Amino acid sequence: MKEAKQIVEEYCVTKGEKFRLKDYDPADTNGVKSKKHAESILQRRVGLLSDMQEKLYAQDRWALLLIFQAMDAAGKDGAIKHVMSGVNPQGCDVFSFKSPSSEELDHDYLWRTHKCTPSRGKIGIFNRSYYEEVLVVRVHPPFLRAQKLPNDLITKHIWDQRYEDINAFERYLTRNGVVIRKFFLNVSKEEQKKRFLERLEDPKKNWKFSMADVQERAFWKDYQEAYEEMIQHTATKHAPWYVIPADNKWFTRLAIASAIIETLDELDLSFPDVDEEKKKELQAVRASLLSQKD
Ligand code: ATP
Ligand code: MG
């Protein structure tokens, strides 16, 4: 497992104060030279992940919450699909958080996500999350106004308050056995342009193209600042941010799989022990089954 740690350690942020996005290269591959090499390691890791998830499920104590945030076309969906491909679907739930509905806007902003946190033994994946509340909502002030908060509560402290509440929420989940790992897929502006062009030019990718995504690109700088500040305030030891290079999809997937494996490995998972009484019961049932004629 040492290898998994080596691949991903340098992207893991557990203390945000000094975090600067410019120190992280979206095209980095941490010495992994080719797509082919990455894919062969990934294939083995996906198998390992499947074994670990089975134990997580059997043990029924810990839950794992994986949060994915990124600019459009950074590869969130593909990464989730590939990394979780070997995992038993019964032990895993994926939730995508889009623009909030009117019912959701009638509640506090953690309401819709708290309902979706994983139960014991399970892996929960958030494709976007409550972090949108300090990203898109910050970049576009009309979204904050749409939240119908009492006017007195909208002050210049609102973003600091949100960081504080998110940290408290994550600490609460952690204290209840939900292990949290957060991934920011760090794609460059040039690579995003390339991927948008592919969506326009390749008929098989046309369906993925969205006008809204191109419009958001105009706010690139605002988003980068919002991401940087978000990581500065919400990277903690128990709920770290992984700033994953996302210009090479094959490396993104390998790094995410490695982070998840390392996390599960630290939990020291094992199949639950069966006590003496239960063992006797199992032996008796076995003997009974063997003695039956048909
Ligand atoms: P895809 O890969 O399918 O494009 P996506 O996550 O980009 O996936 P979309 O339906 O394209 O899904 O976009 C969802 C939109 O909802 C995003 O622009 C996101 O910023 C927005 N959104 C998510 N949460 C909130 C929120 N709390 N307030 C306002 N907008 C939000
Ligand atoms: Mg989209």
Side-chain angles (χ1 to χ4, degrees), residues 31-45:
V32 182
K33 295 224 166 38
S34 70
K35 181 173 176 177
K36 210 166 152 219
H37 184 203
E39 281 174 352
S40 76
I41 315 176
L42 179 63
Q43 207 177 16
R44 271 179 276 137
R45 297 231 163 135

Side-chain angles (χ1 to χ4, degrees), residues 46-60 62 64 84 86-93 121-124 260-261 264 269 271:
V46 165
L48 203 58
L49 197 58
S50 164
D51 294 346
M52 291 172 130
Q53 186 243 353
E54 229 181 291
K55 288 183 187 148
L56 181 82
Y57 190 81
Q59 211 176 44
D60 203 18
W62 298 100
L64 179 62
M84 304 315 284
V87 162
N88 180 351
Q90 291 200 73
C92 184
D93 293 307
K122 285 204 160 188
I123 300 178
I260 302 172
I261 285 171
L264 290 174
L269 299 168
F271 288 110

